[in-house]
Amino acid sequence: MPTSIERWWPLALALAVGLIVAAAPLPLGLSAWRPDLVLLVVIYSAIHQPDRYVISIALVSGLLLDAQHATPLGQYAFAHVVAVYLPLKLHQRIQLVPVWQSPLSVILFTALGQFVLFWCNGATGNDLGAGAYLKPLVANALFWPPLMLALDTLRHGRPLKT
């Protein structure tokens, strides 16, 4: 049985990389298509390591993104907690979904988070337009299979077959 540190270091590393990627500047045309790597890693941990700490990790990672993007109301923290709730509750069913179908689940989970961001931005008067919320959903779905493969390889030393 792996120790707690052996179980969590790949996810901590992936969260750190996700925070760095979220802060990296991109050209204006590509920045709208940036996947939310931090949220994807938290969703992965909710599905594959459903501990009681996943909601706390979602909250802390969202607060770090709030500080990084200087957003009001803790909106990323709220969005991450809302988006990770369903995968945490349905993790046993989601693990049975084939890899090629799992991006559809990820679109649903990240859409919940994007709706919270849309709602918070609307409440504060920051209208970003529909593309600002829909393009990351597509990017998240496209980035999910390679991220899942990479995290499975980091955690187990080999990709898992599903």
PDB file of all heavy atoms in Angstrom, residues 102-130:
ATOM      1  N   SER A 102     -14.799   9.512 -22.028  1.00  0.00           N
ATOM      2  CA  SER A 102     -14.617  10.327 -20.831  1.00  0.00           C
ATOM      3  C   SER A 102     -14.552  11.833 -21.100  1.00  0.00           C
ATOM      4  O   SER A 102     -14.930  12.607 -20.217  1.00  0.00           O
ATOM      5  CB  SER A 102     -13.395   9.855 -20.047  1.00  0.00           C
ATOM      6  OG  SER A 102     -12.226  10.019 -20.792  1.00  0.00           O
ATOM      7  N   PRO A 103     -14.098  12.319 -22.277  1.00  0.00           N
ATOM      8  CA  PRO A 103     -14.166  13.774 -22.491  1.00  0.00           C
ATOM      9  C   PRO A 103     -15.579  14.342 -22.419  1.00  0.00           C
ATOM     10  O   PRO A 103     -15.758  15.501 -22.052  1.00  0.00           O
ATOM     11  CB  PRO A 103     -13.563  13.960 -23.888  1.00  0.00           C
ATOM     12  CG  PRO A 103     -12.630  12.820 -24.037  1.00  0.00           C
ATOM     13  CD  PRO A 103     -13.301  11.676 -23.328  1.00  0.00           C
ATOM     14  N   LEU A 104     -16.576  13.535 -22.726  1.00  0.00           N
ATOM     15  CA  LEU A 104     -17.956  14.024 -22.604  1.00  0.00           C
ATOM     16  C   LEU A 104     -18.310  14.299 -21.140  1.00  0.00           C
ATOM     17  O   LEU A 104     -18.996  15.276 -20.830  1.00  0.00           O
ATOM     18  CB  LEU A 104     -18.932  13.025 -23.213  1.00  0.00           C
ATOM     19  CG  LEU A 104     -18.763  12.764 -24.708  1.00  0.00           C
ATOM     20  CD1 LEU A 104     -19.699  11.645 -25.161  1.00  0.00           C
ATOM     21  CD2 LEU A 104     -19.004  14.029 -25.494  1.00  0.00           C
ATOM     22  N   SER A 105     -17.840  13.429 -20.258  1.00  0.00           N
ATOM     23  CA  SER A 105     -18.058  13.665 -18.827  1.00  0.00           C
ATOM     24  C   SER A 105     -17.315  14.912 -18.374  1.00  0.00           C
ATOM     25  O   SER A 105     -17.843  15.708 -17.590  1.00  0.00           O
ATOM     26  CB  SER A 105     -17.573  12.466 -18.017  1.00  0.00           C
ATOM     27  OG  SER A 105     -18.226  11.303 -18.393  1.00  0.00           O
ATOM     28  N   VAL A 106     -16.112  15.078 -18.875  1.00  0.00           N
ATOM     29  CA  VAL A 106     -15.308  16.244 -18.489  1.00  0.00           C
ATOM     30  C   VAL A 106     -15.972  17.531 -18.972  1.00  0.00           C
ATOM     31  O   VAL A 106     -15.953  18.544 -18.270  1.00  0.00           O
ATOM     32  CB  VAL A 106     -13.871  16.096 -19.027  1.00  0.00           C
ATOM     33  CG1 VAL A 106     -13.085  17.379 -18.875  1.00  0.00           C
ATOM     34  CG2 VAL A 106     -13.177  14.968 -18.302  1.00  0.00           C
ATOM     35  N   ILE A 107     -16.582  17.500 -20.155  1.00  0.00           N
ATOM     36  CA  ILE A 107     -17.301  18.682 -20.633  1.00  0.00           C
ATOM     37  C   ILE A 107     -18.424  19.035 -19.664  1.00  0.00           C
ATOM     38  O   ILE A 107     -18.623  20.203 -19.323  1.00  0.00           O
ATOM     39  CB  ILE A 107     -17.843  18.454 -22.060  1.00  0.00           C
ATOM     40  CG1 ILE A 107     -16.717  18.515 -23.074  1.00  0.00           C
ATOM     41  CG2 ILE A 107     -18.908  19.485 -22.410  1.00  0.00           C
ATOM     42  CD1 ILE A 107     -17.136  18.208 -24.486  1.00  0.00           C
ATOM     43  N   LEU A 108     -19.150  18.036 -19.188  1.00  0.00           N
ATOM     44  CA  LEU A 108     -20.238  18.290 -18.239  1.00  0.00           C
ATOM     45  C   LEU A 108     -19.709  18.900 -16.944  1.00  0.00           C
ATOM     46  O   LEU A 108     -20.237  19.902 -16.455  1.00  0.00           O
ATOM     47  CB  LEU A 108     -20.994  17.000 -17.931  1.00  0.00           C
ATOM     48  CG  LEU A 108     -22.023  17.089 -16.805  1.00  0.00           C
ATOM     49  CD1 LEU A 108     -23.208  17.937 -17.245  1.00  0.00           C
ATOM     50  CD2 LEU A 108     -22.457  15.731 -16.362  1.00  0.00           C
ATOM     51  N   PHE A 109     -18.648  18.309 -16.384  1.00  0.00           N
ATOM     52  CA  PHE A 109     -18.127  18.796 -15.104  1.00  0.00           C
ATOM     53  C   PHE A 109     -17.543  20.199 -15.229  1.00  0.00           C
ATOM     54  O   PHE A 109     -17.783  21.054 -14.383  1.00  0.00           O
ATOM     55  CB  PHE A 109     -17.069  17.841 -14.558  1.00  0.00           C
ATOM     56  CG  PHE A 109     -17.560  16.429 -14.402  1.00  0.00           C
ATOM     57  CD1 PHE A 109     -16.733  15.362 -14.705  1.00  0.00           C
ATOM     58  CD2 PHE A 109     -18.844  16.152 -13.978  1.00  0.00           C
ATOM     59  CE1 PHE A 109     -17.173  14.062 -14.579  1.00  0.00           C
ATOM     60  CE2 PHE A 109     -19.297  14.858 -13.850  1.00  0.00           C
ATOM     61  CZ  PHE A 109     -18.451  13.811 -14.153  1.00  0.00           C
ATOM     62  N   THR A 110     -16.769  20.431 -16.293  1.00  0.00           N
ATOM     63  CA  THR A 110     -16.182  21.759 -16.448  1.00  0.00           C
ATOM     64  C   THR A 110     -17.227  22.792 -16.856  1.00  0.00           C
ATOM     65  O   THR A 110     -17.058  23.973 -16.579  1.00  0.00           O
ATOM     66  CB  THR A 110     -15.007  21.736 -17.441  1.00  0.00           C
ATOM     67  OG1 THR A 110     -15.440  21.216 -18.686  1.00  0.00           O
ATOM     68  CG2 THR A 110     -13.858  20.918 -16.900  1.00  0.00           C
ATOM     69  N   ALA A 111     -18.313  22.339 -17.505  1.00  0.00           N
ATOM     70  CA  ALA A 111     -19.401  23.272 -17.828  1.00  0.00           C
ATOM     71  C   ALA A 111     -20.052  23.796 -16.551  1.00  0.00           C
ATOM     72  O   ALA A 111     -20.463  24.963 -16.501  1.00  0.00           O
ATOM     73  CB  ALA A 111     -20.437  22.598 -18.722  1.00  0.00           C
ATOM     74  N   LEU A 112     -20.147  22.962 -15.543  1.00  0.00           N
ATOM     75  CA  LEU A 112     -20.674  23.439 -14.255  1.00  0.00           C
ATOM     76  C   LEU A 112     -19.783  24.533 -13.686  1.00  0.00           C
ATOM     77  O   LEU A 112     -20.268  25.563 -13.196  1.00  0.00           O
ATOM     78  CB  LEU A 112     -20.791  22.281 -13.264  1.00  0.00           C
ATOM     79  CG  LEU A 112     -21.872  21.253 -13.555  1.00  0.00           C
ATOM     80  CD1 LEU A 112     -21.724  20.061 -12.613  1.00  0.00           C
ATOM     81  CD2 LEU A 112     -23.238  21.869 -13.415  1.00  0.00           C
ATOM     82  N   GLY A 113     -18.480  24.315 -13.742  1.00  0.00           N
ATOM     83  CA  GLY A 113     -17.544  25.335 -13.269  1.00  0.00           C
ATOM     84  C   GLY A 113     -17.605  26.598 -14.114  1.00  0.00           C
ATOM     85  O   GLY A 113     -17.557  27.717 -13.589  1.00  0.00           O
ATOM     86  N   GLN A 114     -17.722  26.443 -15.440  1.00  0.00           N
ATOM     87  CA  GLN A 114     -17.816  27.610 -16.316  1.00  0.00           C
ATOM     88  C   GLN A 114     -19.108  28.385 -16.065  1.00  0.00           C
ATOM     89  O   GLN A 114     -19.132  29.614 -16.156  1.00  0.00           O
ATOM     90  CB  GLN A 114     -17.731  27.182 -17.782  1.00  0.00           C
ATOM     91  CG  GLN A 114     -16.375  26.691 -18.207  1.00  0.00           C
ATOM     92  CD  GLN A 114     -15.321  27.775 -18.156  1.00  0.00           C
ATOM     93  OE1 GLN A 114     -15.591  28.943 -18.396  1.00  0.00           O
ATOM     94  NE2 GLN A 114     -14.110  27.382 -17.841  1.00  0.00           N
ATOM     95  N   PHE A 115     -20.186  27.669 -15.738  1.00  0.00           N
ATOM     96  CA  PHE A 115     -21.439  28.359 -15.421  1.00  0.00           C
ATOM     97  C   PHE A 115     -21.280  29.201 -14.156  1.00  0.00           C
ATOM     98  O   PHE A 115     -21.784  30.328 -14.093  1.00  0.00           O
ATOM     99  CB  PHE A 115     -22.593  27.370 -15.243  1.00  0.00           C
ATOM    100  CG  PHE A 115     -23.857  28.049 -14.830  1.00  0.00           C
ATOM    101  CD1 PHE A 115     -24.583  28.800 -15.746  1.00  0.00           C
ATOM    102  CD2 PHE A 115     -24.314  27.968 -13.525  1.00  0.00           C
ATOM    103  CE1 PHE A 115     -25.746  29.454 -15.365  1.00  0.00           C
ATOM    104  CE2 PHE A 115     -25.465  28.616 -13.132  1.00  0.00           C
ATOM    105  CZ  PHE A 115     -26.191  29.365 -14.054  1.00  0.00           C
ATOM    106  N   VAL A 116     -20.576  28.670 -13.168  1.00  0.00           N
ATOM    107  CA  VAL A 116     -20.345  29.453 -11.948  1.00  0.00           C
ATOM    108  C   VAL A 116     -19.520  30.698 -12.268  1.00  0.00           C
ATOM    109  O   VAL A 116     -19.814  31.795 -11.780  1.00  0.00           O
ATOM    110  CB  VAL A 116     -19.661  28.585 -10.869  1.00  0.00           C
ATOM    111  CG1 VAL A 116     -19.196  29.424  -9.701  1.00  0.00           C
ATOM    112  CG2 VAL A 116     -20.607  27.495 -10.405  1.00  0.00           C
ATOM    113  N   LEU A 117     -18.490  30.550 -13.110  1.00  0.00           N
ATOM    114  CA  LEU A 117     -17.694  31.716 -13.501  1.00  0.00           C
ATOM    115  C   LEU A 117     -18.546  32.729 -14.272  1.00  0.00           C
ATOM    116  O   LEU A 117     -18.425  33.940 -14.059  1.00  0.00           O
ATOM    117  CB  LEU A 117     -16.500  31.274 -14.350  1.00  0.00           C
ATOM    118  CG  LEU A 117     -15.425  30.471 -13.637  1.00  0.00           C
ATOM    119  CD1 LEU A 117     -14.364  30.020 -14.624  1.00  0.00           C
ATOM    120  CD2 LEU A 117     -14.818  31.263 -12.504  1.00  0.00           C
ATOM    121  N   PHE A 118     -19.415  32.229 -15.165  1.00  0.00           N
ATOM    122  CA  PHE A 118     -20.323  33.095 -15.914  1.00  0.00           C
ATOM    123  C   PHE A 118     -21.248  33.853 -14.965  1.00  0.00           C
ATOM    124  O   PHE A 118     -21.462  35.059 -15.097  1.00  0.00           O
ATOM    125  CB  PHE A 118     -21.131  32.240 -16.895  1.00  0.00           C
ATOM    126  CG  PHE A 118     -22.268  32.957 -17.545  1.00  0.00           C
ATOM    127  CD1 PHE A 118     -22.041  33.895 -18.531  1.00  0.00           C
ATOM    128  CD2 PHE A 118     -23.578  32.675 -17.173  1.00  0.00           C
ATOM    129  CE1 PHE A 118     -23.093  34.555 -19.137  1.00  0.00           C
ATOM    130  CE2 PHE A 118     -24.633  33.329 -17.772  1.00  0.00           C
ATOM    131  CZ  PHE A 118     -24.395  34.273 -18.755  1.00  0.00           C
ATOM    132  N   TRP A 119     -21.766  33.138 -13.991  1.00  0.00           N
ATOM    133  CA  TRP A 119     -22.685  33.750 -13.033  1.00  0.00           C
ATOM    134  C   TRP A 119     -21.975  34.800 -12.182  1.00  0.00           C
ATOM    135  O   TRP A 119     -22.490  35.902 -11.980  1.00  0.00           O
ATOM    136  CB  TRP A 119     -23.280  32.646 -12.170  1.00  0.00           C
ATOM    137  CG  TRP A 119     -24.211  33.134 -11.118  1.00  0.00           C
ATOM    138  CD1 TRP A 119     -25.430  33.705 -11.302  1.00  0.00           C
ATOM    139  CD2 TRP A 119     -23.989  33.102  -9.713  1.00  0.00           C
ATOM    140  NE1 TRP A 119     -25.990  34.017 -10.089  1.00  0.00           N
ATOM    141  CE2 TRP A 119     -25.116  33.659  -9.095  1.00  0.00           C
ATOM    142  CE3 TRP A 119     -22.958  32.655  -8.917  1.00  0.00           C
ATOM    143  CZ2 TRP A 119     -25.230  33.789  -7.724  1.00  0.00           C
ATOM    144  CZ3 TRP A 119     -23.067  32.774  -7.548  1.00  0.00           C
ATOM    145  CH2 TRP A 119     -24.194  33.337  -6.972  1.00  0.00           C
ATOM    146  N   CYS A 120     -20.777  34.470 -11.692  1.00  0.00           N
ATOM    147  CA  CYS A 120     -20.025  35.423 -10.866  1.00  0.00           C
ATOM    148  C   CYS A 120     -19.623  36.658 -11.675  1.00  0.00           C
ATOM    149  O   CYS A 120     -19.704  37.782 -11.170  1.00  0.00           O
ATOM    150  CB  CYS A 120     -18.782  34.765 -10.279  1.00  0.00           C
ATOM    151  SG  CYS A 120     -19.126  33.565  -8.998  1.00  0.00           S
ATOM    152  N   ASN A 121     -19.181  36.449 -12.915  1.00  0.00           N
ATOM    153  CA  ASN A 121     -18.810  37.599 -13.744  1.00  0.00           C
ATOM    154  C   ASN A 121     -20.031  38.445 -14.082  1.00  0.00           C
ATOM    155  O   ASN A 121     -19.943  39.673 -14.136  1.00  0.00           O
ATOM    156  CB  ASN A 121     -18.112  37.138 -15.024  1.00  0.00           C
ATOM    157  CG  ASN A 121     -16.677  36.755 -14.772  1.00  0.00           C
ATOM    158  OD1 ASN A 121     -16.018  37.309 -13.910  1.00  0.00           O
ATOM    159  ND2 ASN A 121     -16.192  35.792 -15.521  1.00  0.00           N
ATOM    160  N   GLY A 122     -21.173  37.819 -14.294  1.00  0.00           N
ATOM    161  CA  GLY A 122     -22.394  38.583 -14.547  1.00  0.00           C
ATOM    162  C   GLY A 122     -22.825  39.368 -13.323  1.00  0.00           C
ATOM    163  O   GLY A 122     -23.306  40.497 -13.441  1.00  0.00           O
ATOM    164  N   ALA A 123     -22.651  38.785 -12.152  1.00  0.00           N
ATOM    165  CA  ALA A 123     -23.036  39.477 -10.919  1.00  0.00           C
ATOM    166  C   ALA A 123     -22.147  40.678 -10.641  1.00  0.00           C
ATOM    167  O   ALA A 123     -22.587  41.648 -10.025  1.00  0.00           O
ATOM    168  CB  ALA A 123     -22.986  38.506  -9.735  1.00  0.00           C
ATOM    169  N   THR A 124     -20.897  40.628 -11.097  1.00  0.00           N
ATOM    170  CA  THR A 124     -19.979  41.744 -10.861  1.00  0.00           C
ATOM    171  C   THR A 124     -19.914  42.702 -12.040  1.00  0.00           C
ATOM    172  O   THR A 124     -19.166  43.678 -11.997  1.00  0.00           O
ATOM    173  CB  THR A 124     -18.565  41.230 -10.554  1.00  0.00           C
ATOM    174  OG1 THR A 124     -18.117  40.428 -11.646  1.00  0.00           O
ATOM    175  CG2 THR A 124     -18.539  40.448  -9.269  1.00  0.00           C
ATOM    176  N   GLY A 125     -20.668  42.417 -13.116  1.00  0.00           N
ATOM    177  CA  GLY A 125     -20.699  43.313 -14.258  1.00  0.00           C
ATOM    178  C   GLY A 125     -19.572  43.114 -15.253  1.00  0.00           C
ATOM    179  O   GLY A 125     -19.319  43.989 -16.068  1.00  0.00           O
ATOM    180  N   ASN A 126     -18.885  41.994 -15.200  1.00  0.00           N
ATOM    181  CA  ASN A 126     -17.796  41.697 -16.134  1.00  0.00           C
ATOM    182  C   ASN A 126     -18.297  40.744 -17.209  1.00  0.00           C
ATOM    183  O   ASN A 126     -18.176  39.538 -17.077  1.00  0.00           O
ATOM    184  CB  ASN A 126     -16.608  41.049 -15.409  1.00  0.00           C
ATOM    185  CG  ASN A 126     -16.030  41.949 -14.352  1.00  0.00           C
ATOM    186  OD1 ASN A 126     -16.050  43.152 -14.500  1.00  0.00           O
ATOM    187  ND2 ASN A 126     -15.516  41.361 -13.297  1.00  0.00           N
ATOM    188  N   ASP A 127     -18.855  41.290 -18.288  1.00  0.00           N
ATOM    189  CA  ASP A 127     -19.363  40.451 -19.364  1.00  0.00           C
ATOM    190  C   ASP A 127     -18.216  40.083 -20.288  1.00  0.00           C
ATOM    191  O   ASP A 127     -17.616  40.942 -20.923  1.00  0.00           O
ATOM    192  CB  ASP A 127     -20.458  41.179 -20.140  1.00  0.00           C
ATOM    193  CG  ASP A 127     -21.072  40.301 -21.215  1.00  0.00           C
ATOM    194  OD1 ASP A 127     -20.991  39.061 -21.085  1.00  0.00           O
ATOM    195  OD2 ASP A 127     -21.642  40.855 -22.162  1.00  0.00           O
ATOM    196  N   LEU A 128     -17.885  38.800 -20.379  1.00  0.00           N
ATOM    197  CA  LEU A 128     -16.773  38.336 -21.200  1.00  0.00           C
ATOM    198  C   LEU A 128     -17.229  37.762 -22.533  1.00  0.00           C
ATOM    199  O   LEU A 128     -16.402  37.464 -23.380  1.00  0.00           O
ATOM    200  CB  LEU A 128     -15.964  37.283 -20.440  1.00  0.00           C
ATOM    201  CG  LEU A 128     -15.350  37.732 -19.122  1.00  0.00           C
ATOM    202  CD1 LEU A 128     -14.632  36.578 -18.461  1.00  0.00           C
ATOM    203  CD2 LEU A 128     -14.410  38.896 -19.331  1.00  0.00           C
ATOM    204  N   GLY A 129     -18.498  37.544 -22.736  1.00  0.00           N
ATOM    205  CA  GLY A 129     -19.002  36.942 -23.958  1.00  0.00           C
ATOM    206  C   GLY A 129     -19.043  35.426 -23.842  1.00  0.00           C
ATOM    207  O   GLY A 129     -18.352  34.815 -23.037  1.00  0.00           O
ATOM    208  N   ALA A 130     -19.854  34.800 -24.695  1.00  0.00           N
ATOM    209  CA  ALA A 130     -20.066  33.351 -24.619  1.00  0.00           C
ATOM    210  C   ALA A 130     -18.815  32.563 -24.984  1.00  0.00           C
ATOM    211  O   ALA A 130     -18.568  31.494 -24.446  1.00  0.00           O
ATOM    212  CB  ALA A 130     -21.219  32.944 -25.522  1.00  0.00           C
TER     213      ALA A 130
END
